[in-house]
Amino acid sequence: MKAVRFHEFGGPEVLRYEDVEQPVPGVGQVRIRVAATSFNGVDGNIRAGFMQGPIPVELPHTPGLDVAGTVDAVGPGVTDVAVGDRVIGFLPMTGTGAAAEYVIAPAEILTGAPGNIPLADAAALPLVGLTAWQALFDHGRLTAGQRVLVNGAGGAVGGYAVQLAKEAGARVIATASPRSADRVRAAGADEVVDHTSTDVTAAVTEPVDLVLNLAPVAPEQLAALVTLIRDGGTLVNTTVWMPAPSDGARGVRGIDLFVRSDADQLADLAARVGTGELHVEVAQRVTLAELPALHTRAGAGELPGKTVVLTA
């Protein structure tokens, strides 16, 4: 089968589109004929070797944490997934990824793909959707009537976070550049702050219950966001190389989010997509052979939004 792998850490040039042996599922595993994976920012950091502490991978390594595809073989002990099932999942971060024609996945991480969108497009949901869900509800404890600031709402996680927060009955203030402002409004944001021309701390005039930081801001900018949070509120930070600040005197918690695979949560998200409550946005689709060029564009900040990587 064809796969993209890197045999050493480095720039996008280390990615090779090559022939590899088709994998065989073991106990509790299934083999998926991959329709698509997607690009996530962490993919570039893993490839460059920056994540060997929290996410140690063995070389050669196949990237691609999201998978959407069709089960074509099951290993011993698998009873909840069958050959022919259309599935999605967030693969183990230290294991072999889905930038390949076939991938092995633990059966327990998979859930059924939404039936109302193309199977390949469903690869845009798992990692970023779970990140948004866990940030808002597991860690942020967001409830109806609360105010949430989504800092960096123009990205893929931000799009889901705005939709989910609005659906939960929260008032959503979002920061976005002019390029993504209309998309963020369409996702349901009540207020959109142009962070390229406006100081966020000056624009948000009423306290918020939760700040979700998705942007690679400077430490002092992140610390300033704490001042916008009411006593007892929460800041959830996804830029894990920069610890989340807190304010113990006011009971404001700072939480660093490390997203985890959760099939039940992913099933909930997929169901929301299926009913039309949650919209999956795909900015572009590229082929597996184009993945090295995609990493190059990502490193230069040139991606227009969520990118799906097709195996065919």
Side-chain angles (χ1 to χ4, degrees):
M1 70 173 188
K2 289 292 187 182
V4 173
R5 302 194 299 178
F6 55 89
H7 296 250
E8 60 185 345
F9 297 111
E13 70 279 357
V14 302
L15 293 167
R16 303 183 193 174
Y17 181 60
E18 59 190 12
D19 292 308
V20 301
E21 187 174 344
Q22 191 179 90
V24 177
V27 176
Q29 297 178 327
V30 304
R31 185 173 65 208
I32 300 169
R33 186 172 73 248
V34 179
T37 184
S38 79
F39 178 83
N40 294 287
V42 71
D43 292 332
N45 291 325
I46 293 173
R47 184 213 68 234
F50 300 151
M51 304 296 288
Q52 272 297 86
I55 310 174
V57 298
E58 295 183 3
L59 300 177
H61 179 70
T62 303
L65 295 168
D66 293 311
V67 65
T70 305
V71 175
D72 92 314
V74 299
V78 175
T79 57
D80 294 335
V81 182
V83 170
D85 286 354
R86 291 158 49 97
V87 295
I88 57 174
F90 171 26
L91 297 171
M93 299 186 82
T94 57
T96 301
E101 292 179 325
Y102 293 86
V103 69
I104 297 297
E108 64 187 9
I109 70 153
L110 301 173
T111 194
N116 61 329
I117 62 173
L119 179 58
D121 284 1
L125 177 64
L127 187 151
V128 289
L130 287 170
T131 299
W133 180 276
Q134 291 168 20
L136 292 172
F137 305 116
D138 288 358
H139 300 292
R141 303 171 187 170
L142 187 69
T143 58
Q146 292 188 323
R147 290 167 52 86
V148 56
L149 170 63
V150 181
N151 193 47
V157 176
Y160 290 119
V162 170
Q163 292 183 73
L164 291 169
K166 189 63 181 174
E167 187 182 343
R171 181 166 183 83
V172 182
I173 305 112
T175 73
S177 68
R179 183 178 66 176
S180 56
D182 287 344
R183 178 158 41 86
V184 171
R185 287 191 187 92
D190 297 289
E191 303 173 41
V192 179
V193 177
D194 179 1
H195 64 81
T196 67
S197 63
T198 307
D199 178 69
V200 177
T201 56
V204 180
T205 56
E206 296 181 42
V208 299
D209 299 275
L210 171 65
V211 168
L212 172 52
N213 180 60
L214 309 171
V217 297
E220 60 272 17
Q221 293 174 300
L222 186 59
L225 296 178
V226 175
T227 66
L228 302 176
I229 303 172
R230 65 161 179 81
D231 292 1
T234 306
L235 183 147
V236 178
N237 180 44
T238 64
T239 53
V240 295
W241 60 87
M242 183 170 50
S246 59
D247 185 343
R250 297 195 300 113
V252 175
R253 301 179 302 142
I255 296 172
D256 292 303
L257 171 65
F258 294 86
V259 63
R260 72 181 193 282
S261 187
D262 188 309
D264 289 338
Q265 289 179 352
L266 187 56
D268 186 289
L269 292 167
R272 292 167 189 260
V273 173
T275 60
E277 298 170 69
L278 191 64
H279 175 64
V280 173
E281 182 168 323
V282 176
Q284 64 175 345
R285 299 163 186 84
V286 303
T287 65
L288 193 59
E290 295 174 290
L291 189 56
L294 179 66
H295 275 239
T296 298
R297 292 180 61 203
E302 297 174 355
L303 295 188
K306 190 64 172 174
T307 301
V308 161
V309 182
L310 308 171
T311 56

